[in-house]
Amino acid sequence: LSRLADVQWPTSGPSSRDARRGRHSPRLRAPTLSTTSLRTQAPVILMILRVRTPSGGTLKLRVEPSLGFDAFLTQAAAEAGLPSAACSLSLNRKESLSPAPGTPLSQVGLAGGDLLYLLSSEPGSGGAATAAPPPAAAAPVAAPAA
C-alpha cells in the first residue's frame, strides 16, 4: 500500500484542483509512479577489467567492485576456456595476485580499466607461467687452432 501513495493519477482538463471542485468530469489515465519511488534502489556500478589471455587475446569483463577475487578468477578462466584451478592473475606477468579468499576486487586495489594477465600452469596453454624462456643468442664459437 505504500507504493499506492506514490501513484499520481493524472487527470485531463485544466487542473486537478478544478476536477476536485467538480467543474468538469475527470477522465482517469493509467497511473504513473513518481520519480521519488524509483529512487529507492541504488544504481549498480560496474567496472570494466581487461584480462590478457595466455593465447594473447584480451577479454573485457564487466564486474561489480564487490565481486570476490576468486569468483572473478573463475569467471576470467571460464571466458578463456581454461580450468580456474590452473590459473592465476597478475598485474605484471611476474607476481601472481593472491588475496584472501572472498576478498572483494575493490579491496585488492583493482580499478576500472586495469589490465590483468591470466597466467596458466596448464601445459600447452601458451601461458606466461609455462612459456619457455627465449633462446639465448648464439655466441660465436672459436674454431680450434690447428
Side-chain angles (χ1 to χ4, degrees), residues 1-144:
L1 291 184
S2 64
R3 290 200 114 181
L4 290 177
D6 292 336
V7 174
Q8 297 174 356
W9 295 92
T11 60
S12 62
S15 73
S16 59
R17 186 173 71 182
D18 289 339
R20 284 193 303 266
R21 292 183 178 167
R23 293 192 179 155
H24 71 282
S25 172
R27 187 176 55 195
L28 297 178
R29 291 184 232 151
T32 59
L33 291 177
S34 68
T35 56
T36 56
S37 65
L38 297 177
R39 292 183 192 155
T40 58
Q41 296 177 349
V44 177
I45 298 174
L46 298 177
M47 63 181 181
I48 298 174
L49 293 175
R50 299 172 296 145
V51 178
R52 182 77 37 92
T53 63
S55 61
T58 303
L59 304 171
K60 289 184 180 180
L61 302 176
R62 288 177 173 83
V63 295
E64 292 183 29
S66 61
L67 181 68
F69 182 82
D70 46 353
F72 176 69
L73 174 61
T74 303
Q75 181 181 352
E79 291 276 335
L82 297 169
S84 62
C87 293
S88 62
L89 289 169
S90 171
L91 286 169
N92 59 6
R93 288 189 183 175
K94 296 176 185 171
E95 300 171 9
S96 294
L97 295 173
S98 55
T103 303
L105 293 173
S106 59
Q107 290 183 0
V108 175
L110 300 176
D114 283 353
L115 175 64
L116 298 163
Y117 296 94
L118 185 64
L119 307 177
S120 175
S121 59
E122 186 82 4
S125 66
T130 60
V141 177

